[in-house]
Amino acid sequence: MEAFAREKTKLGRERHKLSLKEKISYGYGEMASAFVWGMVTSYLLYFYTDVYGISASAAGTLFLITRLWDAANDPIMGVIVDRTKTKHGKARPYLLYLAIPLGIISVLTFITPDFSDTGRLMYAYVTYLLLGMIYTAINLPYGALAPTMTRDSKEKVDLGSYRAMGLAVGTVIVSAATLPLVNFLGKGNEQVGFPLTITLYSVIAGILFFLTFKNCKERYSEYIEAKDRKKLSESLKEMFKNRPWVLVAITSFLKFLRLGALNAVLIYYVTYVLGKPGMVPVFLTLLNGATFAGGALAMPLLKKVGNKLGTQVAIAIGSVFFILLFFIQGGSPILFATIFFLANMFVGVDNASVFVLLGDSIDYHEWKFGQRLEGLLYSAYSFSTKFGVAIGSVLVAYALGFVNYDPTAITEGAKNMISSLMFIAPIVFSVLQVITLAFYKLDKHHASIVEELNN
């Protein structure tokens, strides 16, 4: 490996077992993110089309264009994190200082100013673009924090599981409480209720980010002096030569395509196909409760079977349940809800495992190329999170636009399209994930790589 000068944290290479408090506190960071991004994934398309008055096609184009910026924005933020040097480390400071700006722009995104049609669309573009940028600036360092906390794969499984469960708790609350809160706080006026609700969520998120900052420590955080840094072009070239990282980036993108499409279409499916709009919070709660269960299942499953194989098996089982859902829709509501929960619980195992695989690929990068670049490499996950969710939402929005979706006059064609999206998208993207993971081989060599790095 290439030699270079590094400045290490005072704990350096020492082995350190993470406390339960630290693991739970790490999960708080994802819970905080869920209060903001959960609103985006579950309700923003609905908010734009049914509350703000933007057409489905226009909303789809908005999601697509604003997320294309992340292709540049996320790596830039990753480089900034890798070049950050403060008394708090390289990742933690962003959790402390950006929580309030994130809350402010979140509220502005759900405000409905009385502009012209063009003015309202431009306002949506500006606020959603800024929201994506500030979310990157806090969530990317949060994700890059985990590999600085430990190199132990079993500890990473725990961190990934607590992160997945934190995500689930946050999104369950958002799913179950949002519409009731919107109606209560807005007194029946959704244009008032949505911004008041996201204001409440932003305050909670700020507190949770602070707890993550306070209780989590960077132990493998390395600052590379300017004279020892490789050129960005060289680092990017090496990043794409990191085969495990490339495969994790692809499977993460597929994962969020599935989640983006499912979150976007679910509210339409329950409202217009099942004809039970009052059940939307129930199904969103089931979806995110299943994510919590998947995170809990991940801990024993991945430690017993292995990160790669355990993920493949879980996603494959979840895909079978999604296929079963297609054939039982219209039957027993209780059976449908149960199978829906099980399908999402099994595919939800990847909410924990992907962080483990990503962390291992960062160790591999340091071993192979001589520099530890948590920020830059984690930017792939951050980008896939937003871009995958956005493209999933774009798929739903354009499909609805194709059948001339009108919330005031739902046609049979619109119902058929919604049903197709509800089942086909999760099955296709899940199968592609299983195939992609078949090419991931790092699980066989990671232990020996860590042993070399620790010596």
Side-chain angles (χ1 to χ4, degrees), residues 33 38 45-46 64 74 92 107 142 171 174 181 196 232 269 291 295 324 340 376 387 405 411 417 437:
S33 298
L45 179 59
Y46 168 79
L64 178 61
D74 283 55
R92 293 171 62 241
V107 174
Y142 164 70
T171 48
V174 169
L181 279 172
L196 289 178
L232 178 58
Y269 181 81
T291 301
L324 183 58
F340 178 79
L376 181 60
F387 194 63
Y405 167 79
T411 64
M417 179 61 76
L437 286 170

Side-chain angles (χ1 to χ4, degrees), residues 16-239:
H16 185 94
K17 187 173 178 60
L18 302 180
S19 67
L20 179 61
K21 178 181 179 181
E22 192 169 7
K23 293 174 185 177
I24 293 174
S25 296
Y26 184 71
Y28 287 156
E30 190 68 10
M31 192 187 305
S33 298
F35 275 103
V36 174
W37 211 246
M39 280 285 283
V40 171
T41 57
S42 294
Y43 290 105
L44 190 58
L45 179 59
Y46 168 79
F47 173 80
Y48 279 154
T49 59
D50 289 39
V51 180
Y52 196 37
I54 297 175
S55 70
S57 296
T61 302
L62 183 158
F63 286 146
L64 178 61
I65 292 176
T66 52
R67 292 289 66 84
L68 285 175
W69 163 239
D70 291 326
N73 181 44
D74 283 55
I76 289 172
M77 189 62 209
V79 171
I80 291 173
V81 171
D82 286 328
R83 298 183 179 184
T84 296
K85 182 182 180 181
T86 74
K87 64 180 180 180
H88 299 306
K90 67 196 299 185
R92 293 171 62 241
Y94 296 95
L95 308 184
L96 180 63
Y97 297 120
L98 294 182
I100 292 176
L102 177 65
I104 292 172
I105 192 60
S106 298
V107 174
L108 292 176
T109 302
F110 282 89
I111 284 177
T112 55
D114 186 19
F115 295 156
S116 65
D117 289 347
T118 301
R120 283 186 291 122
L121 186 59
M122 292 306 299
Y123 179 84
Y125 267 94
V126 171
T127 52
Y128 187 44
L129 179 65
L130 289 175
L131 177 61
M133 291 175 66
I134 196 71
Y135 181 77
T136 292
I138 193 169
N139 188 259
L140 192 151
Y142 164 70
L145 175 62
T148 73
M149 294 169 65
T150 182
R151 275 196 175 126
D152 187 285
S153 281
K154 291 184 178 179
E155 296 271 19
K156 288 176 188 172
V157 170
D158 289 344
L159 285 178
S161 295
Y162 279 105
R163 179 173 182 173
M165 288 189 284
L167 169 67
V169 171
T171 48
V172 163
I173 294 172
V174 169
S175 301
T178 295
L179 291 183
L181 279 172
V182 167
N183 291 327
F184 174 74
L185 296 176
K187 295 180 170 54
N189 185 344
E190 292 186 323
Q191 292 187 342
V192 174
F194 268 104
L196 289 178
T197 300
I198 191 63
T199 298
L200 174 62
Y201 289 165
S202 296
V203 172
I204 297 172
I207 295 171
L208 292 170
F209 274 128
F210 175 76
L211 291 174
T212 304
F213 162 81
K214 180 175 181 292
N215 297 326
C216 295
K217 305 301 178 186
E218 297 182 25
R219 298 180 178 85
Y220 296 91
S221 180
E222 297 171 352
Y223 176 77
I224 304 172
E225 298 291 349
K227 64 185 178 63
D228 299 310
R229 293 174 193 153
K230 298 178 182 180
K231 292 181 179 179
L232 178 58
S233 59
E234 185 179 357
S235 294
L236 289 171
K237 189 180 298 183
E238 290 175 348
M239 182 173 72

Side-chain angles (χ1 to χ4, degrees), residues 176-413:
T178 295
L179 291 183
L181 279 172
V182 167
N183 291 327
F184 174 74
L185 296 176
K187 295 180 170 54
N189 185 344
E190 292 186 323
Q191 292 187 342
V192 174
F194 268 104
L196 289 178
T197 300
I198 191 63
T199 298
L200 174 62
Y201 289 165
S202 296
V203 172
I204 297 172
I207 295 171
L208 292 170
F209 274 128
F210 175 76
L211 291 174
T212 304
F213 162 81
K214 180 175 181 292
N215 297 326
C216 295
K217 305 301 178 186
E218 297 182 25
R219 298 180 178 85
Y220 296 91
S221 180
E222 297 171 352
Y223 176 77
I224 304 172
E225 298 291 349
K227 64 185 178 63
D228 299 310
R229 293 174 193 153
K230 298 178 182 180
K231 292 181 179 179
L232 178 58
S233 59
E234 185 179 357
S235 294
L236 289 171
K237 189 180 298 183
E238 290 175 348
M239 182 173 72
F240 285 102
K241 289 181 179 179
N242 183 337
R243 181 182 173 87
W245 175 87
V246 171
L247 292 169
V248 172
I250 293 172
T251 193
S252 297
F253 178 65
L254 292 168
K255 163 191 170 181
F256 284 104
L257 273 175
R258 183 188 71 231
L259 286 174
L262 186 56
N263 274 283
V265 78
L266 184 58
I267 189 169
Y268 295 100
Y269 181 81
V270 176
T271 301
Y272 300 119
V273 177
L274 296 185
K276 300 181 183 295
M279 294 293 288
V280 168
V282 174
F283 273 90
L284 285 171
T285 301
L286 282 173
L287 172 62
N288 296 303
T291 301
F292 181 89
L297 174 63
M299 277 193 272
L301 177 65
L302 300 182
K303 289 179 180 179
K304 180 77 173 178
V305 182
N307 299 323
K308 170 190 166 179
L309 181 59
T311 305
Q312 286 180 297
V313 170
I315 294 176
I317 293 173
S319 300
V320 172
F321 279 121
F322 271 116
I323 293 171
L324 183 58
L325 270 180
F326 178 79
F327 292 103
I328 65 172
Q329 61 176 323
S332 166
I334 295 177
L335 178 61
F336 183 87
T338 301
I339 300 300
F340 178 79
F341 179 87
L342 290 173
N344 286 286
M345 179 184 74
F346 279 102
V347 298
V349 166
D350 70 358
N351 285 303
S353 65
V354 69
F355 302 125
V356 184
L357 301 176
L358 180 60
D360 288 353
S361 75
I362 290 172
D363 294 337
Y364 173 83
H365 193 92
E366 181 183 7
W367 173 79
K368 186 172 180 64
F369 299 111
Q371 289 193 352
R372 189 172 180 85
L373 303 174
E374 295 96 343
L376 181 60
L377 294 176
Y378 186 80
S379 68
Y381 180 82
S382 176
F383 173 69
S384 68
T385 300
K386 292 179 294 180
F387 194 63
V389 167
I391 295 300
S393 298
V394 167
L395 173 67
V396 173
Y398 280 173
L400 292 178
F402 180 75
V403 294
N404 298 315
Y405 167 79
D406 181 350
T408 63
I410 302 298
T411 64
E412 199 62 33

Side-chain angles (χ1 to χ4, degrees), residues 411-427:
T411 64
E412 199 62 33
K415 289 183 179 180
N416 290 336
M417 179 61 76
I418 291 170
S419 293
S420 298
L421 290 167
M422 177 72 184
F423 302 109
I424 294 175
I427 293 168

